[in-house]
Structures are given as structure tokens and as C-alpha cells.
Amino acid sequence: MSLLSGSSERAFNAENWGYPPHNRASFQQVQQLGPTIRLSRGSDSFSPFSQNITSVSGITYPGLDGESRTVQQMLDDTYTDAFLVTKNGMLLAEEYRNGMTADSHHLLNSVSKSFLGMLVGVLAAEGKLDPNEKLATYIPEFAETAFQKTTIQQALDMTAAVSFEEDYDDRQAKFWQETAIVGWRPALVDEHLPKTLFEFACGLKDTEQLDGEHFHYRTVLTNVVAMAVERATNQSAAKLVEEKIWQPLGPEQDAVVSVDSSGFPYFGAGMNACARDLARFGEMLARNGHYNGRQIVPEKWIEDTARGNEQAREHFAAGAYAGLIPGGHYRNQVWADSAQGHLICIGIHGQTIYVNQGTGVVVVKLSTHPISADVPLYVDTFAAMSAITTSV
């Protein structure tokens, strides 16, 4: 198979790109791996950050072993590609590694989900769809699937009934089969694999729980929400994110989203963007949806996302990621700690937008962890980010 990256030490191809060490290069070149659609930044001039660059590398925090660590140690130990800190529109720190620059695109993995989650809040406020309505109301084809009783809200909160393996270490898991449809795992493509993400979703018949019973993180739930968005509005989910979320942020660059053969966007994990524009999204979350001179996402939707509820916290505490954010919850495709006032967008291999609503500080980190879901690396990173948000 031909190489998609030239130098021998950074070479990758369509089969190995997602595995270390090849992801160190490939996460910046996902557009070479399969079809994508661009989210245009629009014709308006972007809103530049004011700058007051300061050093955050010496800020300390307690490591997992209880010993004091510095932000510099965290950056060195967690495969950092890009790192930014902003506060109230001011750029305080910016660092690029591993060949990245300010205009480099980087795969966001599941940070992508948060953009779709915020779009649903906009559409709900416009009366275009009802989060408490069943997916099958908008998509009648789901009547005979595992999604037949699932509401949009349950899908947003990852409490739906569908059986779906999201074990990143299992190369045959349903998660990886789904990614094969957008060209990410060619080895899994055969005559039995559905051709589109919609066909794939319609083929999911088995359930593992009652709807709303437990929190179980499954990427397919983001994709079926995007399908409901398209049916409810008769518009492309990608165009809606572009029009109602991306362009209003006043971004510096276009974003890119992987798509299947029908052109349907893979918002479950397929968005690619530049670090500064992710900071703008974080600033919007920090300000309860208001940014760049306008209310982009309804304030009530952000407040609901940040506040969550006791049931969401109970579900989260009983789930596989309880140690990631002790006392946290998952709501509207965003991870949150209501006690601390933190909103967090997370993607595998170390993608993070970390928002402290109380201090107005946003930390963005793009990374290429060797392991998809290395919880200790995330916990260490989040401890450092929490310290940053209360120290600058």
C-alpha cells in the first residue's frame, strides 16, 4: 500500500494510521485517509485573540502518586501536539510540538461530539426538534431497531438501550466497524459491512439495557442524533454546524469532518480543526453560549449541560469513566463537573477542551497518546488543567 506520509520515520498508510507511532503524523493529515467535507469559516474576518503571553509551565499540581508535578512535566509526558490557554478572550499561552503550527488541522476524535450537542440546543430553541421526542419519531426506519424507544436526550446523554461495543482495544468492536464505513479501518470492509452510517444504525437490533437506565459511552449515539437532526430540518448536519456554530465563532480556519459514501458527516469522532478555533468554542462554553458579539448557543442549554442532575451523576458514578471526573456527569455530549464549574470536551488519544466557567479560563490540548483511552494520562492532564484555570 502506498505511503500517505513521505519520510520513513513518519510514514503511515490507510491500515496503520490510527496506531502508534504512526498517529503522531496521521492525526494532522486525516484528509488523506478518506472523504471529508469542509465547514467553511465564512467570508467574515476572524476575531483575533488579544495576547498577554505568560508562562504557565511552572504551575504545580498533585500527581497521581501525590507528588507535586508541573505543567511542563505534564506537557512533556502526555504526547502534546498543541497547547493553548485563554481567558476572557485573551491568549495567555500557546505552544506547538510534533510539527504542528497555528494553522495545522488535527483530528479531534470525540471532541467532535460536543459541536453536535451544542447544535441540538440551538435547534431545540428554534423549535426545529424536541430533545424529549423519540428518535423514531423523526426516523421511522428506527421503529424495528434498538433505537425504537430511545429519545434524542437519552442518545445525547449516552443512556440509550442499544448494544454497541466501544472497546478501543478490540479491533473488531462495533466502534471500529462503524469507523470503517468512513474509510478509517479498511481491513474491516467486506460484503457484510453496511455502505453508510445510516444503514449501519438501522442494522443495530440488540439492546443491553433499558433506555435511560445506565450511562454507557457509545459513539453511534452521536451519529443517530445527527440523523435525527437531518430528518427534522431537512438540512445537512454539517451545514447546520457550519452555519449555527462554526461560523458564528469567528474562526481563523475552516474545519473538516470525515463523511461516509453518502456524504453524511461522522460527528461521532471525525471532526478536524485548529487549536485556536477550539479555544473559541471553549470561550463560548465559558460564557454560557455567548461569544463574538452574539448568543450562539442558548444560555439555558449550556446551563443544563453544566448543571446536569442527580440521576446523571448517579449514572456516571456507576459507569466505566467514574474515575475520570469524580463527581462528574455527562450531558448533551459534554463531560462536566458541576461542583467545580468545569465543562470538558474529550476525545480519545488525548484531545481536550477544558473550561472553567467560574474563572473564564479555557485550556486546549491536542495530543497523540499511544493508547486510545489511557485514563491515568487524562487524569494527570485534567489535574494540571484544573490548576491552570485557577492560577492565571
Side-chain angles (χ1 to χ4, degrees):
M1 185 172 293
S2 62
L3 295 178
L4 297 176
S5 181
S7 63
S8 59
E9 67 273 14
R10 295 178 65 81
F12 64 91
N13 59 43
E15 297 291 350
N16 67 23
W17 73 275
Y19 307 113
H22 310 292
N23 63 335
R24 293 288 282 166
S26 65
F27 277 18
Q28 297 177 43
Q29 301 182 54
V30 171
Q31 293 173 71
Q32 298 186 39
L33 295 165
T36 59
I37 188 171
R38 300 188 77 81
L39 306 184
S40 171
R41 66 181 180 86
S43 58
D44 293 341
S45 299
F46 71 89
S47 302
F49 284 111
S50 302
Q51 296 194 22
N52 183 20
I53 301 300
T54 185
S55 176
V56 300
S57 60
I59 293 173
T60 60
Y61 65 96
L64 290 173
D65 58 2
E67 297 295 320
S68 179
R69 282 172 55 80
T70 66
V71 169
Q72 186 66 54
Q73 287 175 295
M74 180 275 289
L75 294 174
D76 292 343
D77 293 346
T78 56
Y79 304 87
T80 302
D81 296 331
F83 173 72
L84 275 76
V85 180
T86 67
K87 182 175 183 178
N88 299 325
M90 183 80 69
L91 184 63
L92 302 182
E94 183 174 31
E95 180 176 346
Y96 298 99
R97 303 183 179 193
N98 189 31
M100 273 199 76
T101 64
D103 59 358
S104 298
H105 280 83
H106 194 287
L107 179 63
L108 306 188
N109 287 310
S110 290
V111 169
S112 313
K113 293 177 169 70
S114 300
F115 284 84
L116 186 74
M118 293 304 101
L119 173 66
V120 172
V122 174
L123 297 176
E126 293 178 350
K128 301 290 180 58
L129 86 176
D130 180 357
N132 295 312
E133 189 58 80
K134 292 178 182 178
L135 289 163
T137 299
Y138 298 100
I139 308 171
E141 295 93 329
F142 281 180
E144 303 300 324
T145 73
F147 306 111
Q148 59 182 287
K149 297 180 181 179
T150 305
T151 67
I152 291 174
Q153 191 66 61
Q154 288 165 340
L156 286 170
D157 297 346
M158 300 290 181
T159 63
V162 65
S163 178
F164 184 87
E165 305 93 15
E166 187 110 357
D167 181 352
Y168 305 117
D169 294 329
D170 178 2
R171 297 189 181 188
Q172 300 296 319
K174 280 283 198 294
F175 170 78
W176 293 118
Q177 293 177 32
E178 189 180 43
T179 71
I181 295 170
V182 297
W184 286 13
R185 290 293 184 272
L188 296 178
V189 176
D190 59 26
E191 67 274 15
H192 303 294
L193 186 75
K195 303 301 182 185
T196 67
L197 293 171
F198 180 68
E199 291 174 14
F200 179 85
C202 287
L204 297 175
K205 309 293 186 180
D206 297 333
T207 60
E208 64 182 41
Q209 63 183 49
L210 298 176
D211 285 296
E213 186 177 19
H214 301 295
F215 168 74
H216 178 194
Y217 189 85
R218 288 152 294 174
T219 292
V220 68
L221 295 175
T222 309
N223 297 324
V224 296
V225 169
M227 294 168 197
V229 162
E230 293 204 344
R231 288 293 183 90
T233 63
N234 198 31
Q235 292 181 266
S236 159
K239 280 295 182 185
L240 288 168
V241 170
E242 176 187 80
E243 173 191 341
K244 296 183 181 295
I245 305 293
W246 192 251
Q247 291 183 353
L249 292 171
E252 295 185 34
Q253 308 291 339
D254 293 350
V256 176
V257 186
S258 294
V259 297
D260 67 13
S261 60
S262 72
F264 181 78
Y266 182 44
F267 275 112
M271 194 167 168
N272 302 256
C274 304
R276 289 180 183 173
D277 292 333
L278 299 180
R280 291 178 167 89
F281 184 74
E283 289 259 343
M284 183 271 294
L285 294 178
R287 304 178 191 187
N288 278 330
H290 190 274
Y291 186 70
N292 196 27
R294 61 187 294 184
Q295 191 73 36
I296 298 174
V297 177
E299 183 174 359
K300 288 184 177 179
W301 188 257
I302 304 289
E303 290 176 345
D304 175 67
T305 302
R307 182 176 59 250
N309 54 55
E310 285 306 311
Q311 184 180 58
R313 280 181 280 280
E314 290 172 5
H315 285 336
F316 190 81
Y321 292 107
L324 195 63
I325 309 170
H329 66 269
Y330 189 90
R331 182 73 167 172
N332 298 329
Q333 305 277 287
V334 176
W335 309 71
D337 182 342
S338 58
Q340 300 296 321
H342 296 172
L343 292 170
I344 314 172
C345 311
I346 304 174
I348 58 172
H349 294 282
Q351 322 320 318
T352 306
I353 305 173
Y354 197 100
V355 177
N356 186 325
Q357 288 192 304
T359 64
V361 177
V362 174
V363 185
V364 172
K365 187 174 185 293
L366 299 174
S367 315
T368 34
H369 294 175
I371 299 172
S372 299
D374 191 327
V375 172
L377 283 188
Y378 281 105
V379 171
D380 186 71
T381 298
F382 294 167
M385 290 180 171
S386 180
I388 291 168
T389 65
T390 57
S391 301
V392 297

